[in-house]
């Protein structure tokens, strides 16, 4: 039986990918990208989970043997920041596109061809 | 000197990028001169590293924070990385000079910062020895590339940048899933330890993880189904940035791909990944050459030609043999020089005459003889005429392909070269035998840079043995994984 965490995370990735591939509105595509990134982060976190253990902070009553894997948490922290930076970049480019083309429909944004 | 100083390769551009806002008040030319100064310093450091690695024959290992790998992140500057870090720095230096002429759009301070970050990201991708650190450097490279593509703030630039962002976003997500799978199965992120443990990996997990990683890197490396962003971005980006994309950003992606694929050599399902790569690489060559044939914009035409050369390198890396990898690295060196030359010259023409349409190239031989001459050298070299550098690497790639038995791939690639010859000679015809015009004043600095690159093309073409020697050492660095693992001082932690 596949764990619900893995199933949920991979479903989020696939939902995001679906939105990127199918939607025509640029903002919806960017929302899809964000959903995908969230799914990837959840997948990373759930890989480090060890059933029944607590957060990896060294404090009273919790030793190194009672903590979950701390490495994926560092990875996700980095990946979240990168995701936010990419989204901010994409949104500012989307604003520029709306200014220049007057539309966000990707079928009408095609000046570069050939 | 201490090998840890090699970390300056990362630290110098990073620190100087932070100092750009401080000198913003001093004016536009101050920032451009600052860029030249920093890239010159970076070239100096890279030359020292190159000298050190090639004279001792030992790689430089930088351990971040003094933690030994696999606990800490390490930079592995072996023969390959030393060579390419030098190429990255030298090309950036030339482009910093070119920026004086080519970049007149405000804000110049942001341009300088992104320029330095792009150089930093590519250097890091080539030097790193940790798979997650590779992801971080890849994101630094690609986010600055997104921003630089949109830098001109025209509609076309925004459109090109958006295509790149969406594809790059999907690619990096998939790369991260691949990293997650590999980490989940092996419990390590260090490349040397991954190679050590690769034989214990479940073949299905390895195949899926490797496929996802290759898919993610293929966006940066412009392999066939994922390279639709590339010609648009090349066309719309500022001219110096186009040179940087083609000369080293793509190479960093390709190298990362080759490195990870060869780390997993012991995995059971390895050969099926290679077969897939051979097919994709061959398709890249053919599709890009056919697309280049019907272009009216010269910059876009050369962008397609650049993609097809990248396909050729990917083909060489996908063969899985020593001779193939060596030939691929040799082609990477040659292609970096030739494409830097071509994009530089075309960019200069576009700056001087306002646009890179084919119309502007009519009679260029009479109007700008030096530039026209160097474009001709670049074009003839790309097609692969003997006595020019690409001939030697192309023939080595084709021989390596034949020796593995992929006759169909070699035949298709050769056929694509004929197509390449057609559109390059059409361009040469337009330059030398059509139209007339007055002789224009050509900038001295530009002329010197162009002639230097053209001289490099011809010198390597006439005396290929020195460059081939470098390429063989660098190729061995990628192919010989056992040696790579032995060079990294792994602590006995975990498995």
């Amino acid at each position: 039986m596949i764990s619900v965490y893995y199933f949920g995370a991979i479903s989020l990735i696939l939902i995001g990918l679906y939105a990127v591939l199918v939607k025509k509105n640029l903002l919806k595509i960017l929302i899809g990208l964000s959903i995908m990134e969230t799914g990837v982060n959840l997948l990373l976190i759930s890989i480090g989970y060890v059933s029944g253990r607590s957060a990896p902070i060294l404090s009273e009553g919790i030793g190194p043997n009672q903590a979950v894997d701390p490495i994926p948490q560092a990875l996700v922290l980095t990946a979240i920041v990168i995701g936010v930076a990419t989204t901010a970049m994409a949104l500012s480019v989307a604003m520029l596109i709306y200014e220049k083309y007057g539309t966000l429909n990707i079928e009408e944004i095609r000046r570069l061809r050939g | 000197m201490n090998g840890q100083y090699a970390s300056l390769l990362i630290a110098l551009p990073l620190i100087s990028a932070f100092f750009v806002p401080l000198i913003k008040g001093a004016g536009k030319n101050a920032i451009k001169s600052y860029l030249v100064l920093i890239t010159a310093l970076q070239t100096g450091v890279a030359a020292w590293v190159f000298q050190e690695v090639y004279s001792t024959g030992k790689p430089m290992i930088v351990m971040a924070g003094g933690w030994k790998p696999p606990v800490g992140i390490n930079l592995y500057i072996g023969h390959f990385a030393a060579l390419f870090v030098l190429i990255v720095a030298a090309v950036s230096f030339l482009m910093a000079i070119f920026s004086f002429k080519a970049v007149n759009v405000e804000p110049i301070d942001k341009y300088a910062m992104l320029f330095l970050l792009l150089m930093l990201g590519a250097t890091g991708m080539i030097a790193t020895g940790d798979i997650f650190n590779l992801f971080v450097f890849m994101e630094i490279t690609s986010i600055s590339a997104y921003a630089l593509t949109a830098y001109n703030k025209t509609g076309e630039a925004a459109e090109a940048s958006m295509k790149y962002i969406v594809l790059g976003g999907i690619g990096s997500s998939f790369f991260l899933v691949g990293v997650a799978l590999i980490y989940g199965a092996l419990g390590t992120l260090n490349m040397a330890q991954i190679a050590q443990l690769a034989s214990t990996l479940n073949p299905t997990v390895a195949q899926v993880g490797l496929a996802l990683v290759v898919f993610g890197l293929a966006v940066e490396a412009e392999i066939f189904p994922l390279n639709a962003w590339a010609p648009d971005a090349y066309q719309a980006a500022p001219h110096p940035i186009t040179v940087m994309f083609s000369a080293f950003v793509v190479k960093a992606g390709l190298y990362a791909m080759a490195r990870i694929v060869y780390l997993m050599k012991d995995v059971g399902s390895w050969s099926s990944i290679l077969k897939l790569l051979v097919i994709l690489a061959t398709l890249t060559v053919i599709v890009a050459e056919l697309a280049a044939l019907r272009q009216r914009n010269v910059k876009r035409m050369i962008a397609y030609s650049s993609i097809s050369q990248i396909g050729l390198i990917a083909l060489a890396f996908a063969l899985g043999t020593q001779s193939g990898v060596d030939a691929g690295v040799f082609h990477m060196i040659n292609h970096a020089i030739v494409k830097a030359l071509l994009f530089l010259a075309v960019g200069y023409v576009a700056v001087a005459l306002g646009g890179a349409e084919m119309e502007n190239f009519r009679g260029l031989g009479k109007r700008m003889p030096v530039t026209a001459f160097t474009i001709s050298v670049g074009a003839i070299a790309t097609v692969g005429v003997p006595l020019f550098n690409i001939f030697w690497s192309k023939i080595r790639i084709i021989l390596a392909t034949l020796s593995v038995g992929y006759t169909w791939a070699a035949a298709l690639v050769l056929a694509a070269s004929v197509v390449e010859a057609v559109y390059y000679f059409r361009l040469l015809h337009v330059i030398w035998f059509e139209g007339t015009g007055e002789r224009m004043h050509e900038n001295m600095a530009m002329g010197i840079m162009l002639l230097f690159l053209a001289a490099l093309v011809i010198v390597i073409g006439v005396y290929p043995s020195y460059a081939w020697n470098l390429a063989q050492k660098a190729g061995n660095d990628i192919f010989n994984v056992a040696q790579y693992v032995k060079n990294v001082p792994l602590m006995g932690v975990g498995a």
Side-chain angles (χ1 to χ4, degrees), chain B residues 9-28:
Chain B
L9 289 173
I10 309 288
L12 179 72
L14 193 56
I15 294 171
S16 26
F18 280 115
F19 274 105
V20 169
L22 285 185
I23 56 162
K24 189 178 157 193
K28 214 167 160 179

mmCIF file with all atom_site columns, all heavy atoms in Angstrom, chain B residues 9-28:
data_model
loop_
_atom_site.group_PDB
_atom_site.id
_atom_site.type_symbol
_atom_site.label_atom_id
_atom_site.label_alt_id
_atom_site.label_comp_id
_atom_site.label_asym_id
_atom_site.label_entity_id
_atom_site.label_seq_id
_atom_site.pdbx_PDB_ins_code
_atom_site.Cartn_x
_atom_site.Cartn_y
_atom_site.Cartn_z
_atom_site.occupancy
_atom_site.B_iso_or_equiv
_atom_site.pdbx_formal_charge
_atom_site.auth_seq_id
_atom_site.auth_comp_id
_atom_site.auth_asym_id
_atom_site.auth_atom_id
_atom_site.pdbx_PDB_model_num
ATOM 1   N N   . LEU B 1 9  ? 36.866 31.261 -7.004  1.00 0.00 ? 9  LEU B N   1
ATOM 2   C CA  . LEU B 1 9  ? 36.124 31.197 -8.259  1.00 0.00 ? 9  LEU B CA  1
ATOM 3   C C   . LEU B 1 9  ? 34.645 31.451 -8.025  1.00 0.00 ? 9  LEU B C   1
ATOM 4   O O   . LEU B 1 9  ? 33.960 32.017 -8.875  1.00 0.00 ? 9  LEU B O   1
ATOM 5   C CB  . LEU B 1 9  ? 36.292 29.815 -8.889  1.00 0.00 ? 9  LEU B CB  1
ATOM 6   C CG  . LEU B 1 9  ? 37.650 29.494 -9.467  1.00 0.00 ? 9  LEU B CG  1
ATOM 7   C CD1 . LEU B 1 9  ? 37.686 28.062 -9.888  1.00 0.00 ? 9  LEU B CD1 1
ATOM 8   C CD2 . LEU B 1 9  ? 37.908 30.399 -10.646 1.00 0.00 ? 9  LEU B CD2 1
ATOM 9   N N   . ILE B 1 10 ? 34.125 30.987 -6.887  1.00 0.00 ? 10 ILE B N   1
ATOM 10  C CA  . ILE B 1 10 ? 32.720 31.219 -6.547  1.00 0.00 ? 10 ILE B CA  1
ATOM 11  C C   . ILE B 1 10 ? 32.588 32.528 -5.778  1.00 0.00 ? 10 ILE B C   1
ATOM 12  O O   . ILE B 1 10 ? 31.664 33.304 -5.994  1.00 0.00 ? 10 ILE B O   1
ATOM 13  C CB  . ILE B 1 10 ? 32.178 30.071 -5.666  1.00 0.00 ? 10 ILE B CB  1
ATOM 14  C CG1 . ILE B 1 10 ? 32.482 28.722 -6.291  1.00 0.00 ? 10 ILE B CG1 1
ATOM 15  C CG2 . ILE B 1 10 ? 30.698 30.236 -5.392  1.00 0.00 ? 10 ILE B CG2 1
ATOM 16  C CD1 . ILE B 1 10 ? 31.690 28.424 -7.484  1.00 0.00 ? 10 ILE B CD1 1
ATOM 17  N N   . ALA B 1 11 ? 33.530 32.749 -4.844  1.00 0.00 ? 11 ALA B N   1
ATOM 18  C CA  . ALA B 1 11 ? 33.375 33.868 -3.911  1.00 0.00 ? 11 ALA B CA  1
ATOM 19  C C   . ALA B 1 11 ? 33.531 35.211 -4.615  1.00 0.00 ? 11 ALA B C   1
ATOM 20  O O   . ALA B 1 11 ? 32.771 36.142 -4.342  1.00 0.00 ? 11 ALA B O   1
ATOM 21  C CB  . ALA B 1 11 ? 34.400 33.742 -2.791  1.00 0.00 ? 11 ALA B CB  1
ATOM 22  N N   . LEU B 1 12 ? 34.478 35.297 -5.534  1.00 0.00 ? 12 LEU B N   1
ATOM 23  C CA  . LEU B 1 12 ? 34.767 36.603 -6.158  1.00 0.00 ? 12 LEU B CA  1
ATOM 24  C C   . LEU B 1 12 ? 33.568 37.189 -6.908  1.00 0.00 ? 12 LEU B C   1
ATOM 25  O O   . LEU B 1 12 ? 33.161 38.324 -6.629  1.00 0.00 ? 12 LEU B O   1
ATOM 26  C CB  . LEU B 1 12 ? 35.995 36.464 -7.061  1.00 0.00 ? 12 LEU B CB  1
ATOM 27  C CG  . LEU B 1 12 ? 36.398 37.721 -7.788  1.00 0.00 ? 12 LEU B CG  1
ATOM 28  C CD1 . LEU B 1 12 ? 37.003 38.712 -6.819  1.00 0.00 ? 12 LEU B CD1 1
ATOM 29  C CD2 . LEU B 1 12 ? 37.396 37.414 -8.886  1.00 0.00 ? 12 LEU B CD2 1
ATOM 30  N N   . PRO B 1 13 ? 32.941 36.426 -7.849  1.00 0.00 ? 13 PRO B N   1
ATOM 31  C CA  . PRO B 1 13 ? 31.782 37.030 -8.523  1.00 0.00 ? 13 PRO B CA  1
ATOM 32  C C   . PRO B 1 13 ? 30.640 37.324 -7.570  1.00 0.00 ? 13 PRO B C   1
ATOM 33  O O   . PRO B 1 13 ? 29.925 38.315 -7.739  1.00 0.00 ? 13 PRO B O   1
ATOM 34  C CB  . PRO B 1 13 ? 31.374 35.993 -9.567  1.00 0.00 ? 13 PRO B CB  1
ATOM 35  C CG  . PRO B 1 13 ? 32.236 34.829 -9.394  1.00 0.00 ? 13 PRO B CG  1
ATOM 36  C CD  . PRO B 1 13 ? 33.298 35.133 -8.422  1.00 0.00 ? 13 PRO B CD  1
ATOM 37  N N   . LEU B 1 14 ? 30.468 36.486 -6.543  1.00 0.00 ? 14 LEU B N   1
ATOM 38  C CA  . LEU B 1 14 ? 29.360 36.688 -5.611  1.00 0.00 ? 14 LEU B CA  1
ATOM 39  C C   . LEU B 1 14 ? 29.538 37.991 -4.845  1.00 0.00 ? 14 LEU B C   1
ATOM 40  O O   . LEU B 1 14 ? 28.636 38.826 -4.774  1.00 0.00 ? 14 LEU B O   1
ATOM 41  C CB  . LEU B 1 14 ? 29.293 35.498 -4.652  1.00 0.00 ? 14 LEU B CB  1
ATOM 42  C CG  . LEU B 1 14 ? 28.030 35.382 -3.824  1.00 0.00 ? 14 LEU B CG  1
ATOM 43  C CD1 . LEU B 1 14 ? 26.824 35.337 -4.724  1.00 0.00 ? 14 LEU B CD1 1
ATOM 44  C CD2 . LEU B 1 14 ? 28.079 34.134 -2.975  1.00 0.00 ? 14 LEU B CD2 1
ATOM 45  N N   . ILE B 1 15 ? 30.737 38.181 -4.281  1.00 0.00 ? 15 ILE B N   1
ATOM 46  C CA  . ILE B 1 15 ? 30.975 39.399 -3.508  1.00 0.00 ? 15 ILE B CA  1
ATOM 47  C C   . ILE B 1 15 ? 30.881 40.622 -4.410  1.00 0.00 ? 15 ILE B C   1
ATOM 48  O O   . ILE B 1 15 ? 30.251 41.616 -4.073  1.00 0.00 ? 15 ILE B O   1
ATOM 49  C CB  . ILE B 1 15 ? 32.361 39.333 -2.826  1.00 0.00 ? 15 ILE B CB  1
ATOM 50  C CG1 . ILE B 1 15 ? 32.359 38.232 -1.784  1.00 0.00 ? 15 ILE B CG1 1
ATOM 51  C CG2 . ILE B 1 15 ? 32.702 40.661 -2.181  1.00 0.00 ? 15 ILE B CG2 1
ATOM 52  C CD1 . ILE B 1 15 ? 33.716 37.953 -1.220  1.00 0.00 ? 15 ILE B CD1 1
ATOM 53  N N   . SER B 1 16 ? 31.469 40.516 -5.606  1.00 0.00 ? 16 SER B N   1
ATOM 54  C CA  . SER B 1 16 ? 31.464 41.711 -6.449  1.00 0.00 ? 16 SER B CA  1
ATOM 55  C C   . SER B 1 16 ? 30.061 42.021 -6.954  1.00 0.00 ? 16 SER B C   1
ATOM 56  O O   . SER B 1 16 ? 29.754 43.187 -7.197  1.00 0.00 ? 16 SER B O   1
ATOM 57  C CB  . SER B 1 16 ? 32.445 41.568 -7.606  1.00 0.00 ? 16 SER B CB  1
ATOM 58  O OG  . SER B 1 16 ? 32.647 40.251 -7.926  1.00 0.00 ? 16 SER B OG  1
ATOM 59  N N   . ALA B 1 17 ? 29.203 40.995 -7.090  1.00 0.00 ? 17 ALA B N   1
ATOM 60  C CA  . ALA B 1 17 ? 27.822 41.281 -7.479  1.00 0.00 ? 17 ALA B CA  1
ATOM 61  C C   . ALA B 1 17 ? 27.141 42.104 -6.398  1.00 0.00 ? 17 ALA B C   1
ATOM 62  O O   . ALA B 1 17 ? 26.354 43.004 -6.685  1.00 0.00 ? 17 ALA B O   1
ATOM 63  C CB  . ALA B 1 17 ? 27.060 39.986 -7.716  1.00 0.00 ? 17 ALA B CB  1
ATOM 64  N N   . PHE B 1 18 ? 27.460 41.844 -5.124  1.00 0.00 ? 18 PHE B N   1
ATOM 65  C CA  . PHE B 1 18 ? 26.848 42.615 -4.041  1.00 0.00 ? 18 PHE B CA  1
ATOM 66  C C   . PHE B 1 18 ? 27.360 44.050 -4.007  1.00 0.00 ? 18 PHE B C   1
ATOM 67  O O   . PHE B 1 18 ? 26.687 44.932 -3.497  1.00 0.00 ? 18 PHE B O   1
ATOM 68  C CB  . PHE B 1 18 ? 27.111 41.953 -2.693  1.00 0.00 ? 18 PHE B CB  1
ATOM 69  C CG  . PHE B 1 18 ? 26.188 40.803 -2.425  1.00 0.00 ? 18 PHE B CG  1
ATOM 70  C CD1 . PHE B 1 18 ? 26.664 39.517 -2.318  1.00 0.00 ? 18 PHE B CD1 1
ATOM 71  C CD2 . PHE B 1 18 ? 24.825 41.024 -2.300  1.00 0.00 ? 18 PHE B CD2 1
ATOM 72  C CE1 . PHE B 1 18 ? 25.806 38.464 -2.090  1.00 0.00 ? 18 PHE B CE1 1
ATOM 73  C CE2 . PHE B 1 18 ? 23.966 39.972 -2.063  1.00 0.00 ? 18 PHE B CE2 1
ATOM 74  C CZ  . PHE B 1 18 ? 24.454 38.691 -1.963  1.00 0.00 ? 18 PHE B CZ  1
ATOM 75  N N   . PHE B 1 19 ? 28.558 44.286 -4.522  1.00 0.00 ? 19 PHE B N   1
ATOM 76  C CA  . PHE B 1 19 ? 29.113 45.633 -4.462  1.00 0.00 ? 19 PHE B CA  1
ATOM 77  C C   . PHE B 1 19 ? 28.627 46.536 -5.597  1.00 0.00 ? 19 PHE B C   1
ATOM 78  O O   . PHE B 1 19 ? 28.864 47.738 -5.555  1.00 0.00 ? 19 PHE B O   1
ATOM 79  C CB  . PHE B 1 19 ? 30.644 45.590 -4.461  1.00 0.00 ? 19 PHE B CB  1
ATOM 80  C CG  . PHE B 1 19 ? 31.211 45.410 -3.085  1.00 0.00 ? 19 PHE B CG  1
ATOM 81  C CD1 . PHE B 1 19 ? 31.727 44.204 -2.679  1.00 0.00 ? 19 PHE B CD1 1
ATOM 82  C CD2 . PHE B 1 19 ? 31.190 46.470 -2.185  1.00 0.00 ? 19 PHE B CD2 1
ATOM 83  C CE1 . PHE B 1 19 ? 32.222 44.039 -1.398  1.00 0.00 ? 19 PHE B CE1 1
ATOM 84  C CE2 . PHE B 1 19 ? 31.672 46.310 -0.909  1.00 0.00 ? 19 PHE B CE2 1
ATOM 85  C CZ  . PHE B 1 19 ? 32.202 45.094 -0.509  1.00 0.00 ? 19 PHE B CZ  1
ATOM 86  N N   . VAL B 1 20 ? 27.960 45.940 -6.589  1.00 0.00 ? 20 VAL B N   1
ATOM 87  C CA  . VAL B 1 20 ? 27.523 46.756 -7.737  1.00 0.00 ? 20 VAL B CA  1
ATOM 88  C C   . VAL B 1 20 ? 26.634 47.926 -7.318  1.00 0.00 ? 20 VAL B C   1
ATOM 89  O O   . VAL B 1 20 ? 26.874 49.056 -7.749  1.00 0.00 ? 20 VAL B O   1
ATOM 90  C CB  . VAL B 1 20 ? 26.838 45.874 -8.797  1.00 0.00 ? 20 VAL B CB  1
ATOM 91  C CG1 . VAL B 1 20 ? 26.144 46.725 -9.842  1.00 0.00 ? 20 VAL B CG1 1
ATOM 92  C CG2 . VAL B 1 20 ? 27.848 44.963 -9.449  1.00 0.00 ? 20 VAL B CG2 1
ATOM 93  N N   . PRO B 1 21 ? 25.614 47.725 -6.455  1.00 0.00 ? 21 PRO B N   1
ATOM 94  C CA  . PRO B 1 21 ? 24.765 48.880 -6.091  1.00 0.00 ? 21 PRO B CA  1
ATOM 95  C C   . PRO B 1 21 ? 25.553 50.016 -5.453  1.00 0.00 ? 21 PRO B C   1
ATOM 96  O O   . PRO B 1 21 ? 25.158 51.176 -5.576  1.00 0.00 ? 21 PRO B O   1
ATOM 97  C CB  . PRO B 1 21 ? 23.770 48.289 -5.095  1.00 0.00 ? 21 PRO B CB  1
ATOM 98  C CG  . PRO B 1 21 ? 23.761 46.848 -5.363  1.00 0.00 ? 21 PRO B CG  1
ATOM 99  C CD  . PRO B 1 21 ? 25.112 46.489 -5.862  1.00 0.00 ? 21 PRO B CD  1
ATOM 100 N N   . LEU B 1 22 ? 26.675 49.689 -4.793  1.00 0.00 ? 22 LEU B N   1
ATOM 101 C CA  . LEU B 1 22 ? 27.443 50.740 -4.125  1.00 0.00 ? 22 LEU B CA  1
ATOM 102 C C   . LEU B 1 22 ? 28.087 51.704 -5.115  1.00 0.00 ? 22 LEU B C   1
ATOM 103 O O   . LEU B 1 22 ? 28.204 52.891 -4.843  1.00 0.00 ? 22 LEU B O   1
ATOM 104 C CB  . LEU B 1 22 ? 28.540 50.117 -3.257  1.00 0.00 ? 22 LEU B CB  1
ATOM 105 C CG  . LEU B 1 22 ? 28.079 49.486 -1.956  1.00 0.00 ? 22 LEU B CG  1
ATOM 106 C CD1 . LEU B 1 22 ? 29.275 49.014 -1.155  1.00 0.00 ? 22 LEU B CD1 1
ATOM 107 C CD2 . LEU B 1 22 ? 27.270 50.481 -1.141  1.00 0.00 ? 22 LEU B CD2 1
ATOM 108 N N   . ILE B 1 23 ? 28.531 51.164 -6.261  1.00 0.00 ? 23 ILE B N   1
ATOM 109 C CA  . ILE B 1 23 ? 29.206 52.058 -7.215  1.00 0.00 ? 23 ILE B CA  1
ATOM 110 C C   . ILE B 1 23 ? 28.238 52.569 -8.272  1.00 0.00 ? 23 ILE B C   1
ATOM 111 O O   . ILE B 1 23 ? 28.639 53.192 -9.239  1.00 0.00 ? 23 ILE B O   1
ATOM 112 C CB  . ILE B 1 23 ? 30.385 51.364 -7.900  1.00 0.00 ? 23 ILE B CB  1
ATOM 113 C CG1 . ILE B 1 23 ? 29.908 50.096 -8.575  1.00 0.00 ? 23 ILE B CG1 1
ATOM 114 C CG2 . ILE B 1 23 ? 31.495 51.080 -6.935  1.00 0.00 ? 23 ILE B CG2 1
ATOM 115 C CD1 . ILE B 1 23 ? 30.880 49.613 -9.606  1.00 0.00 ? 23 ILE B CD1 1
ATOM 116 N N   . LYS B 1 24 ? 26.948 52.327 -8.053  1.00 0.00 ? 24 LYS B N   1
ATOM 117 C CA  . LYS B 1 24 ? 25.947 52.747 -9.021  1.00 0.00 ? 24 LYS B CA  1
ATOM 118 C C   . LYS B 1 24 ? 25.979 54.266 -9.226  1.00 0.00 ? 24 LYS B C   1
ATOM 119 O O   . LYS B 1 24 ? 25.828 54.769 -10.341 1.00 0.00 ? 24 LYS B O   1
ATOM 120 C CB  . LYS B 1 24 ? 24.588 52.326 -8.486  1.00 0.00 ? 24 LYS B CB  1
ATOM 121 C CG  . LYS B 1 24 ? 23.450 52.472 -9.442  1.00 0.00 ? 24 LYS B CG  1
ATOM 122 C CD  . LYS B 1 24 ? 22.196 51.955 -8.760  1.00 0.00 ? 24 LYS B CD  1
ATOM 123 C CE  . LYS B 1 24 ? 20.961 52.551 -9.365  1.00 0.00 ? 24 LYS B CE  1
ATOM 124 N NZ  . LYS B 1 24 ? 19.792 52.301 -8.515  1.00 0.00 ? 24 LYS B NZ  1
ATOM 125 N N   . GLY B 1 25 ? 26.238 55.004 -8.122  1.00 0.00 ? 25 GLY B N   1
ATOM 126 C CA  . GLY B 1 25 ? 26.234 56.457 -8.204  1.00 0.00 ? 25 GLY B CA  1
ATOM 127 C C   . GLY B 1 25 ? 27.322 57.016 -9.103  1.00 0.00 ? 25 GLY B C   1
ATOM 128 O O   . GLY B 1 25 ? 27.203 58.114 -9.617  1.00 0.00 ? 25 GLY B O   1
ATOM 129 N N   . ALA B 1 26 ? 28.375 56.226 -9.313  1.00 0.00 ? 26 ALA B N   1
ATOM 130 C CA  . ALA B 1 26 ? 29.526 56.737 -10.059 1.00 0.00 ? 26 ALA B CA  1
ATOM 131 C C   . ALA B 1 26 ? 29.276 56.778 -11.560 1.00 0.00 ? 26 ALA B C   1
ATOM 132 O O   . ALA B 1 26 ? 30.130 57.240 -12.310 1.00 0.00 ? 26 ALA B O   1
ATOM 133 C CB  . ALA B 1 26 ? 30.754 55.896 -9.764  1.00 0.00 ? 26 ALA B CB  1
ATOM 134 N N   . GLY B 1 27 ? 28.118 56.281 -12.002 1.00 0.00 ? 27 GLY B N   1
ATOM 135 C CA  . GLY B 1 27 ? 27.789 56.426 -13.413 1.00 0.00 ? 27 GLY B CA  1
ATOM 136 C C   . GLY B 1 27 ? 27.899 55.127 -14.199 1.00 0.00 ? 27 GLY B C   1
ATOM 137 O O   . GLY B 1 27 ? 28.400 54.121 -13.728 1.00 0.00 ? 27 GLY B O   1
ATOM 138 N N   . LYS B 1 28 ? 27.406 55.216 -15.446 1.00 0.00 ? 28 LYS B N   1
ATOM 139 C CA  . LYS B 1 28 ? 27.243 54.049 -16.289 1.00 0.00 ? 28 LYS B CA  1
ATOM 140 C C   . LYS B 1 28 ? 28.574 53.413 -16.662 1.00 0.00 ? 28 LYS B C   1
ATOM 141 O O   . LYS B 1 28 ? 28.744 52.196 -16.562 1.00 0.00 ? 28 LYS B O   1
ATOM 142 C CB  . LYS B 1 28 ? 26.559 54.535 -17.559 1.00 0.00 ? 28 LYS B CB  1
ATOM 143 C CG  . LYS B 1 28 ? 25.631 53.562 -18.178 1.00 0.00 ? 28 LYS B CG  1
ATOM 144 C CD  . LYS B 1 28 ? 24.815 54.324 -19.199 1.00 0.00 ? 28 LYS B CD  1
ATOM 145 C CE  . LYS B 1 28 ? 24.207 53.391 -20.194 1.00 0.00 ? 28 LYS B CE  1
ATOM 146 N NZ  . LYS B 1 28 ? 23.403 54.111 -21.160 1.00 0.00 ? 28 LYS B NZ  1
#
